[in-house]
Amino acid sequence: MTTNAPVPEVDAEESDFKPLTAEEAQKLREQNPELSPWWVIAAQVAAGVVVACLAWIWTGRTEAAVSAFYGAMTVAIPAALFVRGVRRKPGMPSQAVMLRFFVWEMIKIALTVALLAAAPWLIGGLVWLAMVAGVVVAMKMYWVALLVRPKFLNRI
């Protein structure tokens, strides 16, 4: 014996949603400008330079500076390729956009791992700790971008 539970009727309330007019949408875009992801990549490169300088000052070895900068570049170069690859083309269906995002994210991860694996052959006298410091600092630039963005938007 099968019994079906009664389906409760949902009170149809008026929605609070009101579509924006073209003028309101334009004003909203002006109040919240779209930020370029390239500044995050520039921050990763700048952070790599800073970490490389600190590694050189701390150890006095150029290998440490090169290792730290290389570590930051293993994050920044794949990120730059990712940003370039996921740029949306007009009229592209949303499924294609998601697939493109997924594919480029996998390329970014694979390239980062490949660059890290190739480090001992590319960098003579590799200093692992300095390279890891460069990777970590460059990766933290994503968090810095999240923290800085609201302040940056308020300045505009």
Side-chain angles (χ1 to χ4, degrees):
M1 174 181 218
T2 306
T3 58
N4 292 332
V7 178
E9 292 187 26
V10 178
D11 295 333
E13 296 181 15
E14 286 189 35
S15 174
D16 292 337
F17 178 75
K18 183 180 89 174
L20 297 176
T21 64
E23 294 82 21
E24 291 171 332
Q26 182 62 30
K27 183 178 178 185
L28 186 63
R29 281 189 205 102
E30 290 171 359
Q31 289 175 346
N32 299 302
E34 194 173 314
L35 294 177
S36 171
W38 293 105
W39 78 270
V40 177
I41 295 166
Q44 288 176 332
V45 173
V49 169
V50 169
V51 170
C53 290
L54 290 174
W56 181 68
I57 290 169
W58 190 18
T59 64
R61 296 176 51 199
T62 57
E63 294 89 0
V66 171
S67 298
F69 186 70
Y70 181 83
M73 292 306 99
T74 62
V75 174
I77 292 170
L81 289 174
F82 172 79
V83 168
R84 179 82 172 122
V86 297
R87 290 176 39 169
R88 187 174 182 167
K89 295 185 173 43
M92 184 179 281
S94 60
Q95 293 87 359
V97 172
M98 290 305 296
L99 179 64
R100 173 178 241 154
F101 181 88
F102 177 75
V103 168
W104 279 102
E105 183 65 25
M106 291 297 106
I107 291 169
K108 181 176 99 169
I109 292 169
L111 184 57
T112 299
V113 170
L115 287 171
L116 288 172
W121 292 279
L122 296 175
I123 310 271
L126 178 67
V127 180
W128 284 96
L129 187 58
M131 185 182 75
V132 170
V135 169
V136 169
V137 168
M139 292 286 285
K140 293 300 177 186
M141 287 300 109
Y142 293 119
W143 288 101
V144 170
L146 287 174
L147 294 173
V148 171
R149 183 175 181 194
K151 294 173 187 165
F152 181 72
L153 287 175
N154 289 336
R155 280 194 330 215
I156 294 178

